[in-house]
Amino acid sequence: MAFLVATESWCRRMVLAASRRLLVRALVIATAVLAVSCGNGVESGPVVAVGAGDSAESNLLAQIYSGALARAGARTSVVSGLGGRADRLTALDANRVQLFGEHTGALLAELDSSSDARTPGEVNQALNRALPAGTVVADAADGTDMRPRVLTTAAVGVHSVAELAAHCDGRAIGVAPVPGLLELPAELLRIPGCAAPVPLPDPAALRKALLDGSIQVGLLSGPPIDPADTDGLVVLADADYAVRAENVIPLFRKGLLDDRRVKKLNYVAGELNTGDLSAMVRRMRDERAQPADLARDWLDQHGL
């Protein structure tokens, strides 16, 4: 009888010890999972609302910045349909959004119309001086050259914007928007030293007018997103920045982001380029690709 009691007591101790071991293992696993989740997941805190205007580029940039910040632990959302540049600035000032993507030269023109800055460095410095109180910018994406493009035919016989400006008198000039890109103010859609251009509806109309001789010089509001838009034409070089620099840049409320998240935006700036941006905007136009999908794929491809 004593043997049976001792055996039963020993069994109970073994069961309890095993249960404790299983509990400890479960707690260790749960703690490890929680640590991984907290380290890589979204942190607590206010939602960063990333704004977008009406253009495809604006919505694409919003998704890229939103996705990049989310991967740095921020809670983010995208607010689209904010309208023009002045409307986006108003939304930022009212704290309806806290960040949106821009072009440096166009934003400078909106904030300081008297500035004569031209080169990327000059524009960045002037823009920082002109920023509204309580706002800052991260790095500009140097690989994104979103300047208007000056076009001619080979018959015109010039190869640079500076050379054209010296022989511009009497030449008929047209200007057309590039659908999908951020809008530019009218004062930036001019060729220095030349007469004001005549508006045309789109790049195809501009190309046709150049090829049939109706105009001798054309101005696209940004880089062409379709190679066919410049087929048979000469895109004039502009190494001296006769046309003001336009690089992609995020504008956001001061104090919004910690150093880690600002660095994430700077990594985006280091990877983004004109070709990638134009190709994604073209896919949105031609394939009805969704900006969130394009942004996610681009971030993945660039290790962001």
Side-chain angles (χ1 to χ4, degrees), residues 3 59 123 139 214 267 295:
F3 172 77
N59 280 275
V123 170
D139 289 351
S214 301
Y267 293 153

Side-chain angles (χ1 to χ4, degrees), residues 202-246:
D202 54 43
L206 184 71
R207 177 175 176 271
K208 180 178 183 300
L210 283 164
L211 292 176
D212 68 19
S214 301
I215 59 174
Q216 288 77 55
V217 181
L219 184 66
L220 286 177
S221 67
I225 63 171
D226 189 338
D229 293 339
T230 56
D231 187 31
L233 302 176
V234 178
V235 181
L236 298 187
D238 189 17
D240 299 326
Y241 285 88
V243 177
R244 173 181 279 179
E246 298 285 354

Side-chain angles (χ1 to χ4, degrees), residues 47-270:
V47 174
V48 178
V50 183
D54 301 328
S55 70
E57 182 190 356
S58 186
N59 280 275
L60 177 62
L61 291 175
Q63 293 290 348
I64 288 174
Y65 291 137
S66 175
L69 291 174
R71 294 178 184 206
R75 300 170 61 208
T76 64
S77 67
V78 172
V79 180
S80 58
L82 292 179
R85 186 165 286 108
D87 299 316
R88 297 193 292 274
L89 285 166
T90 298
L92 187 70
D93 182 61
N95 204 28
R96 295 199 302 274
V97 298
Q98 291 79 50
L99 181 151
F100 62 86
E102 260 300 342
H103 291 174
T104 52
L107 183 57
L108 176 59
E110 184 74 33
L111 299 175
D112 180 8
S113 59
S114 66
S115 176
D116 59 359
R118 314 305 306 175
T119 68
E122 293 170 348
V123 170
N124 290 341
Q125 289 179 5
L127 178 58
N128 275 284
R129 291 193 298 267
L131 289 176
T135 64
V136 292
V137 292
D139 289 351
D142 294 335
T144 56
D145 183 358
M146 308 306 290
R147 283 180 292 173
R149 299 301 198 260
V150 182
L151 312 175
T152 63
T153 61
V156 173
V158 297
H159 300 89
S160 71
V161 179
E163 185 182 356
L164 173 67
H167 304 87
C168 212
D169 289 345
R171 298 188 188 276
I173 303 169
V175 61
V178 178
L181 299 186
L182 279 171
E183 74 281 4
L184 289 184
E187 61 266 30
L188 296 184
L189 294 174
R190 300 283 298 269
I191 303 172
C194 300
V198 175
L200 293 169
D202 54 43
L206 184 71
R207 177 175 176 271
K208 180 178 183 300
L210 283 164
L211 292 176
D212 68 19
S214 301
I215 59 174
Q216 288 77 55
V217 181
L219 184 66
L220 286 177
S221 67
I225 63 171
D226 189 338
D229 293 339
T230 56
D231 187 31
L233 302 176
V234 178
V235 181
L236 298 187
D238 189 17
D240 299 326
Y241 285 88
V243 177
R244 173 181 279 179
E246 298 285 354
N247 299 105
V248 170
I249 198 166
L251 172 68
F252 53 96
R253 293 178 67 87
K254 191 173 184 179
L256 173 71
L257 305 175
D258 60 23
D259 289 345
R260 179 166 62 105
R261 291 168 187 168
V262 172
K263 285 180 180 178
K264 195 72 167 182
L265 295 182
N266 291 341
Y267 293 153
V268 170

Side-chain angles (χ1 to χ4, degrees), residues 60-72 264-265 267-269 271-272 276 280 291-304:
L60 177 62
L61 291 175
Q63 293 290 348
I64 288 174
Y65 291 137
S66 175
L69 291 174
R71 294 178 184 206
K264 195 72 167 182
L265 295 182
Y267 293 153
V268 170
E271 295 293 327
L272 196 60
D276 286 352
M280 287 187 281
D293 296 336
L294 293 170
R296 182 181 61 254
D297 292 345
W298 185 86
L299 291 166
D300 287 345
Q301 291 165 12
H302 291 268
L304 294 167

